[in-house]
Amino acid sequence: MMKHRRYLLPLLLVGLFILTSCQKTINTKTELKDNTEAVITELKLQKKQLTIIENTYNQLQQQMPEAQKKNPDTNLLEDQDSKVYSLNQKAQAATDQVADSQKKIEKINARLKNTATKKLTNLPNSSILQLTQALHIVQLDHESFNKFMTAYKKDQTALYKHAPELLTEENNELDELISQNTQYLGAVNQQLEILQVNINSSLTNAKKLLTALK
């Protein structure tokens, strides 16, 4: 029991250090400026990658069913020579970049929130608070976006898995599955539009904060 306690204590200390470092108060204008500029950089990256996600998945959706008819026995999502595969990989890479970017923003926002609660006299606390609120809304948007994206991807996997066998059958099931997947993508696109709007709001608030620091 004592051995387990000796090993457990250092692990707890490391975890506590990581938690406190992520939420460390920003004390100077220079540090606040650097963090705000980092947020702006990440938000602009997200805007670009979200546009790529929307455009690429829409292109992918248009490939169906013509691409499947040309390759009736193939799961196009798994065929590395297919246009569908390359588009799907491109969209996934953009999605991964957005996820990584959002993690960075959330770490910075945790520090900004902690700073706002301190109400330091040398910093524009009202502007900090406005930015943290805007970034929190973006965070909630990302959570919704991820849920819709997961549902779309799950349906997409099923569609391309069953497409070859359904293509040879004289029924409307394949068309129905394509229509269903298109509806999922439509829901994803709505979330993307919401994200873009609220990212723009966050960018506006971040730029106002920079102005307040001058």
Side-chain angles (χ1 to χ4, degrees):
M1 182 66 73
M2 290 299 295
K3 285 185 177 180
H4 289 305
R5 288 180 178 176
R6 284 202 302 269
Y7 290 125
L8 184 59
L9 183 58
L11 289 173
L12 289 172
L13 290 174
V14 170
L16 182 61
F17 173 77
I18 293 172
L19 181 63
T20 54
S21 62
C22 288
Q23 298 182 345
K24 184 180 177 183
T25 303
I26 298 168
N27 296 305
T28 67
K29 286 187 176 181
T30 299
E31 193 177 5
L32 181 56
K33 179 175 179 290
D34 291 343
N35 279 266
T36 305
E37 288 177 343
V39 166
I40 290 173
T41 298
E42 294 302 327
L43 289 173
K44 287 181 177 179
L45 182 148
Q46 285 192 23
K47 281 181 61 64
K48 179 181 178 181
Q49 296 305 316
L50 289 171
T51 300
I52 290 173
I53 291 169
E54 182 174 8
N55 292 341
T56 305
Y57 275 129
N58 287 336
Q59 290 177 47
L60 185 153
Q61 206 72 8
Q62 292 169 7
Q63 296 291 311
M64 219 11 176
E66 290 303 317
Q68 193 67 61
K69 290 178 180 178
K70 293 178 181 177
N71 302 274
D73 301 321
T74 305
N75 183 331
L76 297 175
L77 277 183
E78 298 177 353
D79 180 8
Q80 296 186 16
D81 294 326
S82 74
K83 181 73 171 178
V84 166
Y85 178 88
S86 62
L87 286 170
N88 195 53
Q89 291 298 305
K90 180 180 179 181
Q92 186 58 55
T95 303
D96 292 342
Q97 283 196 55
V98 169
D100 289 342
S101 173
Q102 184 57 24
K103 288 178 183 178
K104 294 176 184 177
I105 288 178
E106 288 177 19
K107 285 182 179 179
I108 295 173
N109 200 31
R111 295 190 66 198
L112 290 171
K113 286 179 180 178
N114 194 40
T115 301
T117 61
K118 301 295 182 182
K119 296 182 178 179
L120 301 176
T121 57
N122 62 317
L123 298 178
N125 292 290
S126 177
S127 296
I128 296 172
L129 186 58
Q130 288 175 6
L131 177 56
T132 62
Q133 290 173 337
L135 291 176
H136 185 233
I137 291 172
V138 169
Q139 180 180 342
L140 295 175
D141 290 337
H142 272 286
E143 291 171 4
S144 296
F145 167 69
N146 290 337
K147 289 178 182 178
F148 279 97
M149 180 61 78
T150 298
Y152 166 66
K153 295 289 286 184
K154 181 179 180 181
D155 191 75
Q156 180 195 58
T157 299
L159 167 63
Y160 282 93
K161 178 182 178 181
H162 297 297
E165 60 190 79
L166 293 175
L167 191 63
T168 61
E169 297 178 8
E170 293 183 3
N171 58 45
N172 296 323
E173 191 170 352
L174 180 57
D175 290 339
E176 291 172 358
L177 288 179
I178 293 172
S179 176
Q180 176 179 291
N181 195 241
T182 301
Q183 288 178 19
Y184 275 111
L185 182 58
V188 169
N189 286 339
Q190 287 180 351
Q191 292 301 311
L192 286 169
E193 290 177 11
I194 294 170
L195 257 174
Q196 292 280 20
V197 169
N198 288 325
I199 285 174
N200 284 338
S201 295
S202 290
L203 278 169
T204 298
N205 280 288
K207 291 172 183 177
K208 285 181 179 178
L209 177 52
L210 286 181
T211 300
L213 289 170
K214 293 180 180 178

